[in-house]
Amino acid sequence: MAERSKNSTIAQVVSCLDGYDPDALRVDKAREAIRACLVPVGQTERVAIRESLGRVLAQDIVPQINVPGHDNSAMDGWAVRSSDLISSREISLKEIGKALAGKPFQTNVGPGECVRVMTGAVMPQGTDTVVIQESCRSEGNRVMVPPGQKTGQNVRAAGEDLKAGIAVLKAGRPVRAAELGLIASLGIGELSVKRRLRVAFFSTGDELASIGTALKQGEVYDSNRYTLHGMLSRLGVEIIDMGVVRDDPKLLEAAFRKAAASADAIVTTGGVSVGEADFVKQLMAQLGEVLFWKIAMRPGRPMAFGRIGSGENAAFLFGLPGNPVAVMVTFYQFVRDALLFLGGRTDSFEIPLLTAKSSQAIRKVPGRTEYQRGILFREGDEWQVRTTGQQGSGVLRSMSEANCFIVLEHERGKVEAGELVSVQLMDALA
Ligand code: AMP
Ligand code: MG
């Protein structure tokens, strides 16, 4: 149950936005309107370090120690005193011992002396420079160091990775593999993260059949709940799959009430189209404060956004269209960001737009943002993009074949072959 924004209703918030037009809403305006209404969850919990993967930090991570803890050698070679080095000629030093990673050399190194060191070995007292083994000659306990060495070379300074007392990760950052390692390098075994967002979802439509039942005439299997299962799971939220809900006011009301009572956000598919002869829109409007938008985009024109329930038991609602491709596009373009924000993320999580050359002409009219399904491919040294072909919003295969969206901006007209277009990668390093 997300906290309600204390003072204003959703209608009040969006009416203050410049250029807000629910019947021809630009994609950027819809994003802005959603963001202005959301209130992130506040609760936190303590988890063991491994469990923090994919979660959002609820605390700053402030090192109590330096990493590395000591100056140490970055190479295999000899640790020397820079004051012994002579820039114009080779010098000869006496090797007085050995230092390994985890096995420091304990005595002080005096003038004319050096110590054999391996990568990671603590710099022996008195030394400040490492000469790599490949550039030296050694005979017995004598080591010949050529000229041209630089003071401090091949030494990793204490604290060069992380400095005690200086916050390295801020609350609101997600924990990825790199952060897990970084937190581990500080010896921290338990940390505070935001509690996982709870998202309830269901499909609406009388034509929907569930897997395991035979299709009757005119029925389709419910696929939206599966794409949503996939997209929500990958976002790391707790999912509450409420199945298919028939177009029956009693069943719909019960589903909405249950979802609002148990979740922070509700995602539904279907039933929000213009002229839709069903009860979905009616109930959404009745059970909370819901706006019905016609978004200037393709696919995905109709969408409902609002809040269902009241007080403690309120959840943000995303009523997505029913068409399978429209579901995925509106999820990625609106719901993903909204859920990350609700979950407490404060870093920048916008998916970057890259540029690629279109290998083909693409039809497009100004006045709406299009998300065509694209295949980014390499042609020699150049990355080019083509569409997956048929772009109907019921052609889910186009999402499966695609590795990117070709984002054709609101004002843009048709694309000629060879022109640059914006692309948004669907999968990158996670
Ligand atoms: P609607 O937005 O309810 O008018 O639905 C638009 C189209 O999407 C219709 O052809 C529906 O049959 C189809 N559709 C709606 N919900 C689903 C679903 N859960 N799985 C697959 N197709 C769906
Ligand atoms: Mg329908």
Side-chain angles (χ1 to χ4, degrees):
M1 296 141 280
E3 269 177 57
R4 279 178 74 98
S5 129
K6 300 285 180 288
N7 310 316
S8 31
T9 66
I10 283 182
Q12 280 165 345
V13 172
V14 298
S15 66
C16 298
L17 300 173
D18 274 351
Y20 173 75
D21 175 2
D23 291 323
L25 196 58
R26 288 177 61 116
V27 167
D28 48 359
K29 283 289 151 198
R31 272 199 199 110
E32 200 183 322
I34 293 171
R35 179 62 71 88
C37 297
L38 300 175
V39 185
V41 300
Q43 295 100 316
T44 65
E45 61 194 31
R46 286 192 74 75
V47 294
I49 175 167
R50 283 193 186 85
E51 271 73 71
S52 73
L53 183 65
R55 305 292 297 272
V56 180
L57 282 177
Q59 61 168 99
D60 291 352
I61 300 290
V62 184
Q64 302 296 308
I65 55 172
N66 280 326
V67 179
H70 304 272
D71 292 354
N72 67 86
S73 177
M75 302 291 278
D76 295 343
W78 281 272
V80 305
R81 300 164 58 97
S82 58
S83 52
D84 283 341
L85 297 172
I86 297 172
S87 60
S88 55
R89 63 176 174 79
E90 183 178 270
I91 57 161
S92 165
L93 299 172
K94 182 183 173 196
E95 182 184 309
I96 60 165
K98 201 195 267 187
L100 305 175
K103 296 224 162 39
F105 180 73
Q106 302 292 3
T107 31
N108 190 55
V109 179
E113 295 175 344
C114 67
V115 172
R116 180 85 172 115
V117 286
M118 295 296 148
T119 304
V122 172
M123 289 297 286
Q125 224 186 340
T127 68
D128 58 4
T129 299
V130 171
V131 184
I132 62 171
Q133 61 190 21
E134 291 79 1
S135 60
C136 300
R137 285 182 299 119
S138 70
E139 286 164 22
N141 67 351
R142 302 305 299 182
V143 181
M144 264 59 75
V145 178
Q149 312 300 327
K150 290 201 178 62
T151 299
Q153 72 186 15
N154 304 320
V155 175
R156 300 190 282 225
E160 79 170 19
D161 188 0
L162 304 173
K163 278 202 174 48
I166 299 179
V168 53
L169 297 173
K170 292 282 190 189
R173 280 277 306 263
V175 179
R176 305 167 306 166
E179 285 74 31
L180 271 190
L182 196 142
I183 293 165
S185 77
L186 293 168
I188 296 172
E190 201 186 271
L191 56 154
S192 172
V193 295
K194 306 269 175 171
R195 86 154 159 76
R196 236 187 254 280
L197 202 69
R198 285 190 284 270
V199 182
F201 61 107
F202 55 89
S203 300
T204 70
D206 278 344
E207 77 280 32
L208 302 179
S210 292
I211 295 176
T213 62
L215 285 183
K216 297 197 195 79
Q217 168 117 47
E219 285 188 339
V220 293
Y221 283 119
D222 169 20
S223 61
N224 289 343
R225 228 154 30 85
Y226 292 83
T227 46
L228 277 175
H229 172 91
M231 294 187 292
L232 288 167
S233 300
R234 290 199 52 181
L235 275 189
V237 301
E238 199 179 306
I239 59 178
I240 307 168
D241 183 342
M242 297 179 58
V244 173
V245 181
R246 300 265 140 231
D247 223 348
D248 168 313
K250 285 221 167 50
L251 296 176
L252 281 167
E253 177 169 353
F256 277 120
R257 286 197 190 283
K258 184 172 167 222
S262 52
D264 304 297
I266 307 169
V267 182
T268 63
T269 67
V272 292
S273 311
V274 188
E276 187 79 38
D278 59 23
F279 302 103
V280 178
K281 284 167 87 170
Q282 204 179 311
L283 270 162
M284 284 179 177
Q286 197 179 311
L287 297 177
E289 202 197 347
V290 180
L291 305 171
F292 297 94
W293 291 336
K294 291 186 195 116
I295 302 182
M297 71 189 290
R298 185 147 129 173
R301 204 161 101 94
M303 188 176 135
F305 169 70
R307 208 160 31 192
I308 295 251
S310 61
E312 279 289 284
N313 293 338
F316 289 100
L317 170 76
F318 301 88
L320 307 184
N323 276 308
V325 180
V327 168
M328 295 196 78
V329 170
T330 49
F331 184 93
Y332 282 132
Q333 299 304 326
F334 302 113
V335 185
R336 171 193 175 273
D337 291 31
L339 296 183
L340 292 177
F341 182 76
L342 280 177
R345 290 275 295 269
T346 56
D347 61 324
S348 155
F349 45 76
E350 197 181 339
I351 299 172
L353 285 180
L354 311 174
T355 310
K357 189 202 262 184
S358 178
S359 65
Q360 65 183 107
I362 306 175
R363 294 220 316 259
K364 158 81 165 68
V365 291
R368 66 179 183 223
T369 308
E370 289 197 11
Y371 297 90
Q372 301 223 353
R373 275 71 70 210
I375 299 170
L376 199 60
F377 63 99
R378 196 211 277 271
E379 189 66 43
D381 284 343
E382 187 178 52
W383 284 92
Q384 296 190 7
V385 68
R386 64 172 187 271
T387 72
T388 55
Q390 229 182 334
Q391 295 290 304
S393 62
V395 182
L396 193 52
R397 181 170 42 81
S398 69
M399 280 300 297
S400 174
E401 286 170 358
N403 60 10
C404 68
F405 284 119
I406 303 172
V407 182
L408 302 174
E409 295 83 359
H410 189 90
E411 270 83 22
R412 184 153 194 166
K414 69 175 188 302
V415 175
E416 303 291 356
E419 274 184 38
L420 294 179
V421 289
S422 298
V423 297
Q424 209 170 36
L425 288 180
M426 287 179 179
D427 274 300
L429 290 175

